[in-house]
Each structure stands twice: as structure tokens, then as C-alpha cells.
Amino acid sequence: METSTVYSACAYFALCSHKGPETEDEEVTTIDNGVEKAVHEGNEANQREADNGTDTTDNIIIPDVRPDDAIFIPLGWARQCPRTFYKGSDPEWQSFLAFAQDRRRSLMIRNDLAGMVGQHLGSMRQFQQFLGQPMTPGKFWLDVDFPDGPPPDYERGGLEITDDYIAWSTRPVTPHNYSRLRQALWPTAISSSIWASYSTLWSLQVAKFRDFFNLRARPDHSRPQPPSGFVNFQRVRERTNGQQTQPGAGVEQPSVAPSPKGETEKASVNHRSSPAGSDPAGIFPSGPSIPQPGQELTSVLSAFKRTLARKWKPAPSPAPRGTCIISGLVELTGPRGMCVVDVRAAFHPGENRFVMVGLAVRRVQQRQQGPRGGPNMVTIPFHQVLRATTPVFTVLIYRVLFHATYSNATYCSLVPVIAGVGLATYGDYAATALGFIMTLLGALLAAVKTVTTNRIQTGTLRMSAMEVLHRMSPLALVQSLAFAYFFGEMAEFRKYALAEDRLRTKTIIALFMNGAIAFGLNIISFTANKKVGALTMTVAANVKQILTIVLSVAFFKLLVGTMHALGIVLTLLGAGWYAKVEMTEKKPALNTTVREIEEGLGTEK
């Protein structure tokens, strides 16, 4: 309990309001006599009250808990109270001692904490998407620390006003509020972020100034420059051998801000084409290009956000009295990935419960990681496996629409052709639902295209390959131009064509050669489709994928594993088996056709 004594001022106001004689000397004498009389009477009253066991002063007792009608005005900084420590006889220390000696209970509490972390993160939708379900706690490393004493207490002084008294008192401040107040009064994270943003802005302005006056050191174009921050061992070796090198050959330091690409190329061209002093543009170059709106602002804001994310930390909350700290790492695994979580919990051994638990995700790793540089609907191996099923769709189209039948040997020969492509392109199989549907639809459309081309040439129309190409090319041109316009390819080609020295005669000739090769490819493809059939063309498409891998091994020294080599061999064997089955089944029909031709020739003779 805090006490404060408030003395009455009634006697002073009574003396000041005393009306004496009009002369100044008499007034002073009267006041002095009145004061002495009041003091004398007060002493006598105090003596009488002391003899009776009472006191004339007003003793005001200020409670520890502020009354509801009290107004507390803080007028000072919060300060820490003297630190206290646990004694051996304290119940908190006795509970710590019992918990430390019970190893079975300590292990059970660690398991409960790991399960609590897994249950909490498992209920969050983001972790369900990243890791999959069910999520189970894996390995964990948790340590138990026993504090030497309770958390520090904080207090703040101020003026307390009630109906009964006005007094100076101190009130406690919770540790969490003290941390938040200190973080607000000393915003180190915000100040560091502002300093980083201003430093970035200053460096950009300095770089523009140096570019304007051509003060930046020109790079050496005689040899390729190494990446920033790496040691150029070639220059170090030359310096060791005593050869003359340019300064700064050890470690390449990054520049403050890169100049625009167009200015760099222009400056380098002028530097190579004209000697020093002959071209005034080499000494006084043209002014820098106007930066794009928001370019500098984006860099400044990025520096501010990076620094703030690195420096910002939430206000710490110390563990309550009587609790021990359990901290460490907990691993959480799921079907799609795993994550490691930093855990810090306050456990009360006396009450056998967790008072507070804090989590911070250290790292998240997926079991299968795909590229993020664009739409990632399916991976390349998954796409190749689905496209290898085109022969299956071709057989289904012929059986359903044209009621065609195939022998069991044909069906069996298709199995190694399809399975071999899957083994040869074995890798990261991953796909979204939309990617799977679109890839499967692409395989179906490829089969439809092959069957349609065959029926146009062998059905009632009986068009030649040149006529089919003549009728389909204009439609394909309109379709290609429409897609190129809507997807921005025409705008990109316009920029490419308008650039200097881009659309040369050599480039135009290469484009015409590309069109001629595509024309010849379509003629050969249509003719082969008419001769051998749609199913054989889809089998040949699978063999084409395998031959691409084989040629890569031969010319580009591509390394393949045992599984890929097995897939290559299996596909080639399956293709040979299919060719033998086709030749065996078509041989009687071929002999009949030859016999009919010979008989027709004999009749004419």
C-alpha cells in the first residue's frame, strides 16, 4: 500500500484573508502575531491529540488498484523495477525441479507441443495447399530452459486524481505494453528502411549524374566480363606473372546503377568506331534518356520493403511467472512437401498447461518443384507421356466412328510403343487439373487431325496432298494472324522489324526457307498419311520423340540414365513389332492387288 500525506491549507488562506490596520507596519506586525498564534495553537492541539492517540494530519491511503473513478495522467517514462530471482523455497522453483527430474513427463510435453503445432498448421488452408493432407509432425528438436526469476516488472509515475485526493503515484505497466511503447518511441526498423530508400534514391541520382558527364569507367570489351562479385582468375594469374592489367581486376564490384541498354550499346559503338578526341560525342555525350514514370519510385519502394521485412520484429512478450520456456524446431510433413517451424512456448509445470505458444515458419519445401517463369500447367515429361497416347485415341476414333477392327497383335504392339516413351521421358511428372485436361484434349485433337487428313485423301473426296494444302493454308493463315494479334506477337514483330539492322536480307531469306521447309514437310506428311494410314502416323510420331533423344545423345553428348535407355530400346522394339504386324496383315491384300494388276495386263495383251 502506498501512502501520501496531504496537508490542509485552510490556516494559510485564513491568515492571508485577515484584515488588519491600514498602515503597512501594523499589518505586518498583525500577520506575524497571527502566524505565531496559529502555530502555537496548532502545536497545543497536536499535543492534545497525540496524548489522546489521534493525529491532526490528513492521512490519505492510495490503493494499489486504481479506482474506477480515478484519473491517472502519466508524466514520466516507464522504467524497470529491480530484478528479483527465485529462491529454493519458492513454489515455482520446486515445480521446475520436479519437472526436470521427470524425464517421461518432459518427453510427453514435447510430443504434445509438436502435435499441437501440427494440428494448428494443418487447419490452415495455405499449408493444406502447399503440403497436402494429412500433415503429420516429423522430427523435432525441443529444449527446456528454466528462468532464474520471474519476468521483470515495469512501472510509470504520474498524477492520480480522484474525488478524495490528488497525489503523485506509480502504476504498473505490463511487459508487452512496455515493449510496444519502446518500439513506437524508438522505431529502428522504420528509420533503417527510410535510410535505405533514401540511399537508393541518392545512388540513382549519382549514377545519372555520372552518366550525363561520362564519368563512369568504360568497360574493357576485349574480353568478357565475369559476373559481379566473382573472382577473375585469369586476371589474377596475369597479375601474378607480372603482366600489365587494368585496375580492379581482382573482384568485380557491382556498379551503383546500370545505365540503359541503348546508351551502353551506343557508347560502346562510338568508342570503337572513332578515335579519342575526333568525335565530340565521345567527350560530351547526349543527355540521358528520360526514365520511365515510376522507375525510380519502384526501386526506392523495393529497398524500403526489403529493409522493413528484414528489420521488423514484433514486440516481445516475456513468459509469465512460474513458466519454463520450451523452444526449438518442429518438422511437419505432408504428401506434397515439408516445412520446418520455429517454436517457442511457455509451459506452466504447476498448472500442467501451455500458457503461450509462438510459431515462425523457417522454411517450406515442396517435394516436386516446377518452374515459375510462366504458366506451369504441366511439366514437359508429363506432356510427352500424354501425347504418346495419341495412338490410343486414333484406335478409338476408328472403332467408334468407322467401325474398324484391329488384330490383337496390333493392340499388343502399341503397348511397348507408348510405355517406352513414358520411360524414355521419365522425370518430374506434375500437372494441374486444367493442364491435364488441355494436354489430353491436345492428344485427342492430334488424333482427330490425323484421321481427318487420311479420310479426306482416301474417302469419297480423294483429294491429293497439294489440293488439301491449297484449301487449308488460307484458313490456317487467318487463324494464325488472329492469334498473333490477340496475344501481342504482331506488336513484338513490329518492334523487331523497326529496330536498326534487324530485318536484313539474310533474315528475310531465312524466313522464306523456313516456309519452304514447312511446305515440304506438310506435303510429305499428307502423302505418307495417305499411303500408310493414320494409326501408323501416330506410331511414327512416338518414334520421332525417341529419335530426337538418340540424336541429342549422338550430337550434343546428352547423358541418359538406365531408365531412359530402357525406354528408348522398348519404343524401338515396339515400333519394329508394329511394322512387322502391319506387313504381315497387309501382305495378302498386297498380293491380291498385284495379281489383279497382272491379270489386267494379260487381258489387255
Side-chain angles (χ1 to χ4, degrees), residues 357-370:
V357 178
L359 304 178
V361 179
R362 177 179 290 266
R363 65 188 300 263
V364 178
Q365 181 179 4
Q366 292 184 337
R367 301 186 185 276
Q368 295 180 353
Q369 182 178 356

Side-chain angles (χ1 to χ4, degrees), residues 233-302:
F233 289 99
Q234 182 178 358
R235 294 190 178 183
V236 173
R237 190 182 305 110
E238 293 177 357
R239 179 179 298 178
T240 305
N241 296 335
Q243 298 180 4
Q244 183 179 359
T245 57
Q246 295 182 357
V251 178
E252 298 294 332
Q253 299 294 337
S255 59
V256 178
S259 59
K261 181 178 180 182
E263 295 182 4
T264 305
E265 295 178 354
K266 184 177 180 181
S268 62
V269 170
N270 293 334
H271 177 68
R272 292 192 298 267
S273 60
S274 61
S278 61
D279 187 9
I283 302 175
F284 299 102
S286 59
S289 61
I290 300 176
Q292 297 295 330
Q295 182 178 3
E296 295 181 354
L297 182 61
T298 302
S299 302
V300 171
L301 291 180
S302 299

Side-chain angles (χ1 to χ4, degrees), residues 56-205:
T56 57
T57 58
D58 298 332
N59 293 331
I60 304 299
I61 300 177
I62 301 177
D64 291 336
V65 180
R66 186 176 63 188
D68 296 336
D69 57 346
I71 300 176
F72 181 76
I73 303 176
L75 298 177
W77 302 101
R79 61 182 182 273
Q80 182 177 346
C81 299
R83 182 70 186 275
T84 59
F85 300 94
Y86 290 129
K87 299 179 181 180
S89 58
D90 290 341
E92 294 85 359
W93 190 260
Q94 294 295 328
S95 63
F96 291 166
L97 185 61
F99 182 74
Q101 293 176 354
D102 193 349
R103 295 183 178 273
R104 183 177 180 181
R105 182 188 178 192
S106 177
L107 180 60
M108 183 179 64
I109 294 301
R110 291 185 177 93
N111 291 328
D112 292 344
L113 180 59
M116 187 186 305
V117 172
Q119 183 179 3
H120 176 71
L121 297 182
S123 61
M124 300 178 65
R125 182 175 300 178
Q126 295 180 350
F127 283 91
Q128 293 176 0
Q129 295 177 355
F130 275 105
L131 306 182
Q133 288 183 331
M135 287 181 283
T136 57
K139 302 177 183 178
F140 59 86
W141 183 286
L142 297 174
D143 297 324
V144 180
D145 298 320
F146 299 100
D148 296 331
D153 297 328
Y154 300 92
E155 62 180 8
R156 180 170 52 184
L159 195 62
E160 186 171 327
I161 303 175
T162 63
D163 296 336
D164 299 331
Y165 60 86
I166 300 176
W168 179 271
S169 63
T170 58
R171 292 301 177 189
V173 179
T174 61
H176 184 65
N177 289 339
Y178 174 79
S179 301
R180 295 177 61 184
L181 181 62
R182 183 179 180 85
Q183 194 175 35
L185 296 177
W186 299 94
T188 56
I190 299 296
S191 59
S192 300
S193 304
I194 294 176
W195 174 258
S197 60
Y198 273 102
S199 300
T200 304
L201 182 61
W202 171 257
S203 63
L204 292 175
Q205 298 300 326

Side-chain angles (χ1 to χ4, degrees), residues 212-498:
F212 183 83
F213 290 99
N214 200 19
L215 299 177
R216 186 182 301 277
R218 296 178 179 177
D220 185 12
H221 297 281
S222 60
R223 65 185 67 189
Q225 298 293 329
S228 175
F230 288 86
V231 178
N232 191 337
F233 289 99
Q234 182 178 358
R235 294 190 178 183
V236 173
R237 190 182 305 110
E238 293 177 357
R239 179 179 298 178
T240 305
N241 296 335
Q243 298 180 4
Q244 183 179 359
T245 57
Q246 295 182 357
V251 178
E252 298 294 332
Q253 299 294 337
S255 59
V256 178
S259 59
K261 181 178 180 182
E263 295 182 4
T264 305
E265 295 178 354
K266 184 177 180 181
S268 62
V269 170
N270 293 334
H271 177 68
R272 292 192 298 267
S273 60
S274 61
S278 61
D279 187 9
I283 302 175
F284 299 102
S286 59
S289 61
I290 300 176
Q292 297 295 330
Q295 182 178 3
E296 295 181 354
L297 182 61
T298 302
S299 302
V300 171
L301 291 180
S302 299
F304 182 87
K305 292 179 180 179
R306 286 196 308 268
T307 308
L308 183 62
R310 187 175 65 254
K311 296 288 186 179
W312 176 262
K313 295 181 180 179
S317 297
R321 183 184 181 92
T323 58
C324 59
I325 305 300
I326 304 178
S327 60
L329 302 176
V330 176
E331 181 186 30
L332 193 63
T333 59
R336 300 179 184 174
M338 54 84 64
C339 71
V340 180
V341 184
D342 285 319
V343 182
R344 181 179 175 85
F347 178 74
H348 201 294
E351 300 177 0
N352 196 23
R353 66 182 182 92
F354 287 98
V355 179
M356 55 187 300
V357 178
L359 304 178
V361 179
R362 177 179 290 266
R363 65 188 300 263
V364 178
Q365 181 179 4
Q366 292 184 337
R367 301 186 185 276
Q368 295 180 353
Q369 182 178 356
R372 300 183 61 183
N376 187 22
M377 295 185 179
V378 295
T379 58
I380 294 178
F382 188 83
H383 179 270
Q384 291 176 335
V385 169
L386 281 188
R387 285 302 298 265
T389 59
T390 307
V392 177
F393 290 105
T394 305
V395 171
L396 292 177
I397 291 173
Y398 271 110
R399 287 185 63 90
V400 174
L401 299 181
F402 304 102
H403 306 286
T405 57
Y406 297 92
S407 62
N408 294 331
T410 302
Y411 293 139
C412 294
S413 63
L414 294 178
V415 174
V417 174
I418 299 174
V421 175
L423 294 177
T425 60
Y426 175 77
D428 181 17
Y429 293 144
T432 60
L434 181 60
F436 174 78
I437 294 174
M438 293 185 65
T439 307
L440 201 63
L441 182 62
L444 176 61
L445 292 178
V448 171
K449 187 260 299 184
T450 306
V451 173
T452 304
T453 304
N454 179 264
R455 296 297 300 176
I456 289 176
Q457 298 180 97
T458 60
T460 56
L461 296 177
R462 292 187 177 276
M463 293 184 181
S464 63
M466 184 66 71
E467 187 177 0
V468 173
L469 195 61
H470 172 70
R471 294 180 181 274
M472 298 299 296
S473 295
L475 299 178
L477 176 63
V478 174
Q479 181 182 7
S480 299
L481 290 178
F483 278 104
Y485 176 78
F486 286 111
F487 286 97
E489 294 182 4
M490 296 185 66
E492 294 294 332
F493 179 76
R494 188 183 301 111
K495 293 180 181 179
Y496 179 85
L498 295 178

